[in-house]
Amino acid sequence: MASRWIPAATCASPICYIDTGDDGIVLKFGKDADGRRVNRPTGNVSIANCTVHHAHGAVTLGSEIAGGIRNVVANNITCDGTQMGVRIKSRRGRGGAVEDVRFDNWTMRDVGQAINMTSYYLMEGEVRTSAQLVSEKTPVFRNIALSHMTIKGARIAINIEGLPEMPISGLRISDVIASAKIGMKAFNTLALELHNVQVNADSGPACLVQDSKELELDAVTTRKPLAEAPVIRLDHCPGAIVRNSRAFAGTAKFLSVGVGELKSVILENNTLGSARQATEENGGF
């Protein structure tokens, strides 16, 4: 794939309607060794005022990011019936970085996965493996902000997956209201922040986070508590902070953690009196 630099580009202004059989709007830069050789990032890109219908991802970054993608803004986006909304993807062997990216003011309806971010992107027939040595072939995701999003009728609201050897770093998700069959799942992150996030899921925890450090959950809740699942489940998240969150009427368990892990979680200014059980420790969910 040829590599190129996109200086100060603007896509789809004032209004653009996209209906396609693959990703709707895609930014890439260079594949594997060739991209690392050229080493000139795609950057300074603004995407605005788009409606995307029937696409794999509405706005997708990757998976070919060997030269890097940086300084991207995508705002005022409407998704209707896409397989994914926000999609950022890469895999071992690609190298490069996705950094300094902001997605703001999105409305998504009847999507598969509203927010999908993975550096563990697998091809057909591949399986997940344990941590590997970090090298120039290791993809990096850092300093990404998602804000002001309304999600209705998704299959999965939020799905975040970093590599065990290279967690997704500095991801901030704020001011999101989501309804979905499955809520939020996040694995292998560093300094993940959620602020004013409401996830109403049909099954499982509204918010599941595993193998993450420097986690901050601020005003995270559900207005659709389930009898069989906690609102928040944390596994191997030492030093996590849960603050300014509320348990609504009908909450069975608000916060669930692994055995012996509650002592490492910091609880600040939460309103959990409506929960039958505010916190619990158990071996897994």
Side-chain angles (χ1 to χ4, degrees):
M1 175 181 176
S3 298
R4 58 182 177 152
W5 162 253
I6 303 179
T10 301
C11 173
S13 180
I15 297 174
C16 188
Y17 181 90
I18 297 170
D19 189 329
T20 184
D22 208 308
D23 290 321
I25 299 168
V26 191
L27 300 181
K28 300 175 182 282
F29 195 90
K31 185 174 181 180
D32 302 347
D34 181 61
R36 294 192 296 274
R37 177 184 60 80
V38 177
N39 195 31
R40 295 169 57 198
T42 293
N44 303 332
V45 180
S46 176
I47 302 165
N49 306 323
C50 300
T51 295
V52 184
H53 187 58
H54 290 161
H56 286 182
V59 176
T60 298
L61 310 185
S63 67
E64 295 85 355
I65 63 162
I69 298 174
R70 64 183 61 151
N71 303 334
V72 176
V73 175
N75 57 33
N76 301 332
I77 308 294
T78 300
C79 307
D80 187 354
T82 60
Q83 291 183 16
M84 300 183 189
V86 174
R87 189 180 194 189
I88 303 177
K89 58 179 179 175
S90 193
R91 56 185 269 115
R92 290 177 175 133
R94 295 280 191 246
V98 175
E99 58 188 344
D100 303 329
V101 173
R102 175 175 289 276
F103 293 78
D104 183 63
N105 197 28
W106 283 52
T107 300
M108 295 181 246
R109 182 183 181 90
D110 297 331
V111 299
Q113 298 186 36
I115 298 169
N116 177 275
M117 190 177 306
T118 180
S119 47
Y120 224 140
Y121 183 53
L122 299 177
M123 301 301 183
E124 186 175 354
E126 294 181 333
V127 296
R128 283 167 171 74
T129 58
S130 58
Q132 298 184 8
L133 293 176
V134 173
S135 72
E136 64 175 3
K137 298 180 181 181
T138 306
V140 178
F141 293 177
R142 60 191 172 211
N143 302 334
I144 298 170
L146 313 176
S147 57
H148 300 103
M149 296 187 173
T150 301
I151 300 161
K152 185 175 182 180
R155 183 173 60 85
I156 300 175
I158 302 171
N159 192 8
I160 309 297
E161 187 175 28
L163 292 168
E165 69 270 20
M166 183 60 69
I168 293 173
S169 175
L171 173 61
R172 180 184 175 99
I173 301 175
S174 59
D175 297 297
V176 172
I177 299 177
S179 67
K181 292 181 180 179
I182 299 171
M184 172 181 173
K185 301 185 293 181
F187 309 95
N188 296 318
T189 69
L190 174 65
L192 170 64
E193 296 183 20
L194 271 61
H195 300 274
N196 298 315
V197 174
Q198 181 187 132
V199 179
N200 301 311
D202 293 339
S203 64
C207 179
L208 169 65
V209 184
Q210 295 180 342
D211 299 310
S212 297
K213 297 179 180 179
E214 300 179 23
L215 174 66
E216 182 177 348
L217 305 181
D218 174 32
V220 175
T221 193
T222 182
R223 285 186 176 270
K224 188 181 178 180
L226 302 175
E228 73 281 6
V231 176
I232 298 171
R233 172 69 190 192
L234 305 180
D235 288 294
H236 309 120
C237 299
I241 298 173
V242 181
R243 64 160 62 98
N244 300 323
S245 297
R246 177 180 175 183
F248 286 91
T251 300
K253 295 172 286 189
F254 185 80
L255 173 65
S256 175
V257 299
V259 175
E261 295 183 13
L262 188 59
K263 61 180 180 295
S264 72
V265 177
I266 300 169
L267 299 171
E268 296 180 343
N269 198 35
N270 297 293
T271 304
L272 306 180
S274 294
R276 188 170 70 244
Q277 187 174 354
T279 61
E280 71 160 5
E281 291 185 329
N282 68 37
F285 179 83

PDB file of all heavy atoms in Angstrom, residues 71-90:
ATOM      1  N   ASN A  71      -3.457  13.435  15.299  1.00  0.00           N
ATOM      2  CA  ASN A  71      -4.135  14.724  15.147  1.00  0.00           C
ATOM      3  C   ASN A  71      -5.356  14.604  14.230  1.00  0.00           C
ATOM      4  O   ASN A  71      -5.414  15.188  13.144  1.00  0.00           O
ATOM      5  CB  ASN A  71      -3.174  15.800  14.611  1.00  0.00           C
ATOM      6  CG  ASN A  71      -1.960  15.982  15.482  1.00  0.00           C
ATOM      7  OD1 ASN A  71      -1.987  15.709  16.675  1.00  0.00           O
ATOM      8  ND2 ASN A  71      -0.873  16.439  14.886  1.00  0.00           N
ATOM      9  N   VAL A  72      -6.340  13.824  14.701  1.00  0.00           N
ATOM     10  CA  VAL A  72      -7.564  13.575  13.940  1.00  0.00           C
ATOM     11  C   VAL A  72      -8.763  13.987  14.782  1.00  0.00           C
ATOM     12  O   VAL A  72      -8.828  13.680  15.975  1.00  0.00           O
ATOM     13  CB  VAL A  72      -7.686  12.093  13.538  1.00  0.00           C
ATOM     14  CG1 VAL A  72      -9.010  11.821  12.840  1.00  0.00           C
ATOM     15  CG2 VAL A  72      -6.523  11.674  12.654  1.00  0.00           C
ATOM     16  N   VAL A  73      -9.707  14.673  14.152  1.00  0.00           N
ATOM     17  CA  VAL A  73     -10.972  15.036  14.796  1.00  0.00           C
ATOM     18  C   VAL A  73     -12.107  14.526  13.930  1.00  0.00           C
ATOM     19  O   VAL A  73     -12.115  14.742  12.710  1.00  0.00           O
ATOM     20  CB  VAL A  73     -11.097  16.564  14.967  1.00  0.00           C
ATOM     21  CG1 VAL A  73     -12.473  16.921  15.529  1.00  0.00           C
ATOM     22  CG2 VAL A  73     -10.002  17.103  15.871  1.00  0.00           C
ATOM     23  N   ALA A  74     -13.080  13.838  14.539  1.00  0.00           N
ATOM     24  CA  ALA A  74     -14.282  13.392  13.834  1.00  0.00           C
ATOM     25  C   ALA A  74     -15.485  13.788  14.671  1.00  0.00           C
ATOM     26  O   ALA A  74     -15.710  13.217  15.743  1.00  0.00           O
ATOM     27  CB  ALA A  74     -14.248  11.885  13.600  1.00  0.00           C
ATOM     28  N   ASN A  75     -16.252  14.775  14.197  1.00  0.00           N
ATOM     29  CA  ASN A  75     -17.379  15.244  15.008  1.00  0.00           C
ATOM     30  C   ASN A  75     -18.640  15.417  14.174  1.00  0.00           C
ATOM     31  O   ASN A  75     -18.606  15.442  12.951  1.00  0.00           O
ATOM     32  CB  ASN A  75     -17.019  16.543  15.755  1.00  0.00           C
ATOM     33  CG  ASN A  75     -16.569  17.661  14.837  1.00  0.00           C
ATOM     34  OD1 ASN A  75     -17.031  17.771  13.708  1.00  0.00           O
ATOM     35  ND2 ASN A  75     -15.660  18.484  15.317  1.00  0.00           N
ATOM     36  N   ASN A  76     -19.756  15.458  14.898  1.00  0.00           N
ATOM     37  CA  ASN A  76     -21.081  15.585  14.288  1.00  0.00           C
ATOM     38  C   ASN A  76     -21.330  14.445  13.294  1.00  0.00           C
ATOM     39  O   ASN A  76     -21.574  14.670  12.109  1.00  0.00           O
ATOM     40  CB  ASN A  76     -21.237  16.949  13.590  1.00  0.00           C
ATOM     41  CG  ASN A  76     -21.059  18.112  14.532  1.00  0.00           C
ATOM     42  OD1 ASN A  76     -21.322  17.996  15.734  1.00  0.00           O
ATOM     43  ND2 ASN A  76     -20.600  19.234  14.018  1.00  0.00           N
ATOM     44  N   ILE A  77     -21.274  13.222  13.817  1.00  0.00           N
ATOM     45  CA  ILE A  77     -21.437  12.019  12.991  1.00  0.00           C
ATOM     46  C   ILE A  77     -22.707  11.281  13.426  1.00  0.00           C
ATOM     47  O   ILE A  77     -22.946  11.090  14.623  1.00  0.00           O
ATOM     48  CB  ILE A  77     -20.227  11.080  13.128  1.00  0.00           C
ATOM     49  CG1 ILE A  77     -18.907  11.817  12.875  1.00  0.00           C
ATOM     50  CG2 ILE A  77     -20.386   9.880  12.197  1.00  0.00           C
ATOM     51  CD1 ILE A  77     -18.704  12.325  11.480  1.00  0.00           C
ATOM     52  N   THR A  78     -23.485  10.845  12.456  1.00  0.00           N
ATOM     53  CA  THR A  78     -24.658  10.016  12.711  1.00  0.00           C
ATOM     54  C   THR A  78     -24.451   8.650  12.073  1.00  0.00           C
ATOM     55  O   THR A  78     -24.089   8.560  10.902  1.00  0.00           O
ATOM     56  CB  THR A  78     -25.924  10.665  12.128  1.00  0.00           C
ATOM     57  OG1 THR A  78     -26.130  11.939  12.739  1.00  0.00           O
ATOM     58  CG2 THR A  78     -27.146   9.794  12.378  1.00  0.00           C
ATOM     59  N   CYS A  79     -24.662   7.588  12.853  1.00  0.00           N
ATOM     60  CA  CYS A  79     -24.548   6.213  12.354  1.00  0.00           C
ATOM     61  C   CYS A  79     -25.917   5.540  12.469  1.00  0.00           C
ATOM     62  O   CYS A  79     -26.558   5.629  13.517  1.00  0.00           O
ATOM     63  CB  CYS A  79     -23.551   5.401  13.165  1.00  0.00           C
ATOM     64  SG  CYS A  79     -21.939   6.150  13.337  1.00  0.00           S
ATOM     65  N   ASP A  80     -26.312   4.847  11.433  1.00  0.00           N
ATOM     66  CA  ASP A  80     -27.586   4.139  11.444  1.00  0.00           C
ATOM     67  C   ASP A  80     -27.397   2.797  10.744  1.00  0.00           C
ATOM     68  O   ASP A  80     -27.245   2.741   9.527  1.00  0.00           O
ATOM     69  CB  ASP A  80     -28.649   4.972  10.728  1.00  0.00           C
ATOM     70  CG  ASP A  80     -30.047   4.375  10.859  1.00  0.00           C
ATOM     71  OD1 ASP A  80     -30.160   3.257  11.416  1.00  0.00           O
ATOM     72  OD2 ASP A  80     -31.013   5.005  10.412  1.00  0.00           O
ATOM     73  N   GLY A  81     -27.347   1.734  11.538  1.00  0.00           N
ATOM     74  CA  GLY A  81     -27.266   0.400  10.966  1.00  0.00           C
ATOM     75  C   GLY A  81     -25.872  -0.052  10.572  1.00  0.00           C
ATOM     76  O   GLY A  81     -25.737  -1.060   9.878  1.00  0.00           O
ATOM     77  N   THR A  82     -24.831   0.646  11.017  1.00  0.00           N
ATOM     78  CA  THR A  82     -23.468   0.207  10.712  1.00  0.00           C
ATOM     79  C   THR A  82     -23.075  -0.959  11.611  1.00  0.00           C
ATOM     80  O   THR A  82     -23.609  -1.124  12.710  1.00  0.00           O
ATOM     81  CB  THR A  82     -22.459   1.346  10.896  1.00  0.00           C
ATOM     82  OG1 THR A  82     -22.499   1.795  12.253  1.00  0.00           O
ATOM     83  CG2 THR A  82     -22.782   2.523   9.983  1.00  0.00           C
ATOM     84  N   GLN A  83     -22.114  -1.766  11.152  1.00  0.00           N
ATOM     85  CA  GLN A  83     -21.626  -2.839  12.011  1.00  0.00           C
ATOM     86  C   GLN A  83     -20.906  -2.270  13.228  1.00  0.00           C
ATOM     87  O   GLN A  83     -20.987  -2.821  14.318  1.00  0.00           O
ATOM     88  CB  GLN A  83     -20.698  -3.759  11.222  1.00  0.00           C
ATOM     89  CG  GLN A  83     -21.403  -4.591  10.166  1.00  0.00           C
ATOM     90  CD  GLN A  83     -20.459  -5.541   9.457  1.00  0.00           C
ATOM     91  OE1 GLN A  83     -19.345  -5.815   9.919  1.00  0.00           O
ATOM     92  NE2 GLN A  83     -20.880  -6.052   8.315  1.00  0.00           N
ATOM     93  N   MET A  84     -20.180  -1.184  13.030  1.00  0.00           N
ATOM     94  CA  MET A  84     -19.494  -0.487  14.114  1.00  0.00           C
ATOM     95  C   MET A  84     -19.621   1.013  13.873  1.00  0.00           C
ATOM     96  O   MET A  84     -19.853   1.453  12.743  1.00  0.00           O
ATOM     97  CB  MET A  84     -18.017  -0.885  14.203  1.00  0.00           C
ATOM     98  CG  MET A  84     -17.781  -2.352  14.458  1.00  0.00           C
ATOM     99  SD  MET A  84     -16.045  -2.773  14.638  1.00  0.00           S
ATOM    100  CE  MET A  84     -16.135  -4.574  14.632  1.00  0.00           C
ATOM    101  N   GLY A  85     -19.456   1.783  14.944  1.00  0.00           N
ATOM    102  CA  GLY A  85     -19.456   3.232  14.812  1.00  0.00           C
ATOM    103  C   GLY A  85     -18.036   3.742  14.787  1.00  0.00           C
ATOM    104  O   GLY A  85     -17.392   3.807  13.741  1.00  0.00           O
ATOM    105  N   VAL A  86     -17.514   4.088  15.967  1.00  0.00           N
ATOM    106  CA  VAL A  86     -16.094   4.405  16.109  1.00  0.00           C
ATOM    107  C   VAL A  86     -15.312   3.102  16.025  1.00  0.00           C
ATOM    108  O   VAL A  86     -15.561   2.166  16.784  1.00  0.00           O
ATOM    109  CB  VAL A  86     -15.820   5.093  17.458  1.00  0.00           C
ATOM    110  CG1 VAL A  86     -14.328   5.292  17.669  1.00  0.00           C
ATOM    111  CG2 VAL A  86     -16.554   6.428  17.537  1.00  0.00           C
ATOM    112  N   ARG A  87     -14.343   3.029  15.112  1.00  0.00           N
ATOM    113  CA  ARG A  87     -13.551   1.801  14.968  1.00  0.00           C
ATOM    114  C   ARG A  87     -12.072   2.161  14.818  1.00  0.00           C
ATOM    115  O   ARG A  87     -11.682   2.824  13.852  1.00  0.00           O
ATOM    116  CB  ARG A  87     -14.013   1.002  13.751  1.00  0.00           C
ATOM    117  CG  ARG A  87     -13.391  -0.385  13.667  1.00  0.00           C
ATOM    118  CD  ARG A  87     -13.860  -1.141  12.452  1.00  0.00           C
ATOM    119  NE  ARG A  87     -13.524  -2.561  12.560  1.00  0.00           N
ATOM    120  CZ  ARG A  87     -13.659  -3.447  11.566  1.00  0.00           C
ATOM    121  NH1 ARG A  87     -14.124  -3.060  10.387  1.00  0.00           N
ATOM    122  NH2 ARG A  87     -13.333  -4.715  11.754  1.00  0.00           N
ATOM    123  N   ILE A  88     -11.267   1.748  15.784  1.00  0.00           N
ATOM    124  CA  ILE A  88      -9.819   1.952  15.723  1.00  0.00           C
ATOM    125  C   ILE A  88      -9.181   0.577  15.899  1.00  0.00           C
ATOM    126  O   ILE A  88      -9.404  -0.092  16.905  1.00  0.00           O
ATOM    127  CB  ILE A  88      -9.340   2.923  16.814  1.00  0.00           C
ATOM    128  CG1 ILE A  88     -10.083   4.265  16.692  1.00  0.00           C
ATOM    129  CG2 ILE A  88      -7.837   3.142  16.711  1.00  0.00           C
ATOM    130  CD1 ILE A  88      -9.728   5.264  17.774  1.00  0.00           C
ATOM    131  N   LYS A  89      -8.393   0.153  14.903  1.00  0.00           N
ATOM    132  CA  LYS A  89      -7.929  -1.234  14.926  1.00  0.00           C
ATOM    133  C   LYS A  89      -6.496  -1.342  14.414  1.00  0.00           C
ATOM    134  O   LYS A  89      -6.069  -0.628  13.519  1.00  0.00           O
ATOM    135  CB  LYS A  89      -8.842  -2.119  14.068  1.00  0.00           C
ATOM    136  CG  LYS A  89      -8.932  -1.677  12.610  1.00  0.00           C
ATOM    137  CD  LYS A  89      -9.820  -2.600  11.789  1.00  0.00           C
ATOM    138  CE  LYS A  89      -9.910  -2.135  10.336  1.00  0.00           C
ATOM    139  NZ  LYS A  89     -10.671  -3.057   9.487  1.00  0.00           N
ATOM    140  N   SER A  90      -5.749  -2.251  15.022  1.00  0.00           N
ATOM    141  CA  SER A  90      -4.438  -2.641  14.526  1.00  0.00           C
ATOM    142  C   SER A  90      -4.088  -3.990  15.127  1.00  0.00           C
ATOM    143  O   SER A  90      -4.882  -4.593  15.850  1.00  0.00           O
ATOM    144  CB  SER A  90      -3.370  -1.596  14.835  1.00  0.00           C
ATOM    145  OG  SER A  90      -2.200  -1.874  14.091  1.00  0.00           O
TER     146      SER A  90
END
